Amino acid sequence: MNSEKTQGLCTRKTRISDGIMYGLIYLCAGASVVLLAAIIFYIIKRGIGSLSIQFLTTVTSMLQGTVGIAGNIVNTLLIILITMIIATPIGVCAAIYLNEYAKPGKLVSTIEFATETLSGIPSIIFGLFGMTFFGETLGFGYSILTGSLTLILMVLPLITRNTQEALKTCPASYRSGAFGLGAGKWHMIRTILLPSSMPGIITGVILAIGRIVGESAALLFTAGSAKALPKTLSALFPKIFQSGGTLTIQLYLSATSEGDFDTAFGIAVVLLVIVLLINLGTKKLASKFDVTRRK
């Protein structure tokens, strides 16, 4: 009888503690959602009034009396495109080598330690290195190319580590099953491992894009702040070798040097929309390559 009372008391205490922990967890989760919603609401409220067709399709000009960010949008998209085209295959291939081909040892441990250290280095140090090496030593100067090459060094560890973790989550039965059917290692990686790991890889790509879009310190040293808009599509390629300020650079200049907070918040709204569209598009693309969702 006493044992039953003791057992019931312990069960009641356990349920109370579980309820308290569940409450704290939901409270923290709810606070995060509310905080994010409050930030987005405040930015949209302050910046929506600055948005217009002229604001999105022209550049700032004292002579014409216009305030626009079209040149900054083009520069941002160019830097994202160049950086991800180079960084994504290198990061994914490096992760495949470390996870599937390299034998565990000092070399692998050293590479993993180096990638983890690189991901923790302040971005302004990357900017200083990019300015001296890519800009001065290689002679690219202040240009979109210099900024992109610098950002490649910044996002490579992020893509590599996320891809590694995604590959490790793939069940071992997938590998053994493919080998049992006579598939080669590269065929197994290409047709089984990569598609099943695609959600994790895409997560790394999205995080890398987010860091590129939000970066300003490194680009101040490397890409410059020019906001000229290419007049034709053929002028896009030469634009790579010219100075080009991104949306974050223009936001910083508008809020500090120019004191134009209306324009700064308008740029912030555009940045939110760009990041949202890139994330949605990337996830939709990932779902097409995900074999686990195919019927």
Side-chain angles (χ1 to χ4, degrees):
M1 189 73 176
N2 292 333
S3 62
E4 291 180 359
K5 289 183 179 180
T6 305
Q7 194 173 28
L9 184 61
C10 292
T11 304
R12 187 180 302 171
K13 288 182 178 179
T14 302
R15 289 177 178 175
I16 292 174
S17 62
D18 287 346
I20 293 174
M21 290 305 300
Y22 274 118
L24 290 174
I25 290 172
Y26 283 115
L27 180 63
C28 293
S32 300
V33 174
V34 170
L35 181 61
L36 175 62
I39 293 174
I40 294 176
F41 175 77
Y42 182 75
I43 290 174
I44 293 176
K45 181 181 178 182
R46 288 288 304 271
I48 195 68
S50 300
L51 298 183
S52 64
I53 299 298
Q54 182 184 20
F55 184 72
L56 298 174
T57 57
T58 62
V59 296
T60 301
S61 173
M62 296 295 293
L63 296 177
Q64 299 179 1
T66 58
V67 176
I69 58 171
N72 302 111
I73 294 175
V74 172
N75 295 336
T76 302
L77 295 178
L78 278 176
I79 286 181
I80 292 174
L81 184 64
I82 296 170
T83 303
M84 297 311 298
I85 283 177
I86 299 175
T88 301
I90 294 177
V92 172
C93 290
I96 291 173
Y97 169 76
L98 292 173
N99 200 69
E100 301 297 325
Y101 289 98
K103 296 180 179 179
K106 291 184 178 180
L107 178 60
V108 174
S109 300
T110 302
I111 295 174
E112 291 180 348
F113 175 77
T115 55
E116 292 174 357
T117 304
L118 278 174
S119 62
I121 294 177
S123 59
I124 197 166
I125 296 179
F126 281 104
L128 184 62
F129 172 79
M131 179 183 67
T132 56
F133 182 72
F134 298 120
E136 297 178 3
T137 304
L138 298 184
F140 295 139
Y142 284 98
S143 65
I144 290 177
L145 181 61
T146 303
S148 299
L149 293 174
T150 303
L151 291 177
I152 288 170
L153 301 179
M154 293 177 58
V155 302
L156 260 179
L158 187 61
I159 296 175
T160 302
R161 294 299 293 167
N162 275 275
T163 303
Q164 273 189 281
E165 296 302 320
L167 294 174
K168 290 178 181 178
T169 59
C170 184
S173 58
Y174 287 12
R175 296 176 174 84
S176 58
F179 290 144
L181 292 173
K185 191 161 191 175
W186 171 241
H187 187 269
M188 181 273 296
I189 292 172
R190 181 171 56 85
T191 59
I192 303 297
L193 199 59
L194 285 178
S196 62
S197 305
M198 190 60 68
I201 297 174
I202 293 301
T203 299
V205 171
I206 291 173
L207 291 174
I209 293 175
R211 185 167 187 183
I212 293 170
V213 173
E215 185 54 48
S216 58
L219 295 177
L220 276 173
F221 284 92
T222 55
S225 59
K227 44 195 172 187
L229 179 66
K231 296 182 179 180
T232 60
L233 290 177
S234 60
L236 282 177
F237 182 75
K239 178 68 176 173
I240 296 173
F241 302 96
Q242 301 170 6
S243 174
T246 60
L247 287 168
T248 50
I249 297 297
Q250 187 57 42
L251 188 154
Y252 168 77
L253 295 175
S254 297
T256 56
S257 301
E258 302 170 10
D260 188 358
F261 286 95
D262 291 335
T263 300
F265 277 102
I267 296 173
V269 174
V270 175
L271 282 171
L272 286 176
V273 173
I274 289 177
V275 172
L276 178 62
L277 291 177
I278 290 176
N279 287 358
L280 291 176
T282 309
K283 286 185 177 182
K284 188 173 182 62
L285 181 64
S287 64
K288 293 183 178 181
F289 291 96
D290 189 358
V291 294
T292 61
R293 296 182 179 180
R294 294 179 184 175
K295 295 182 180 180

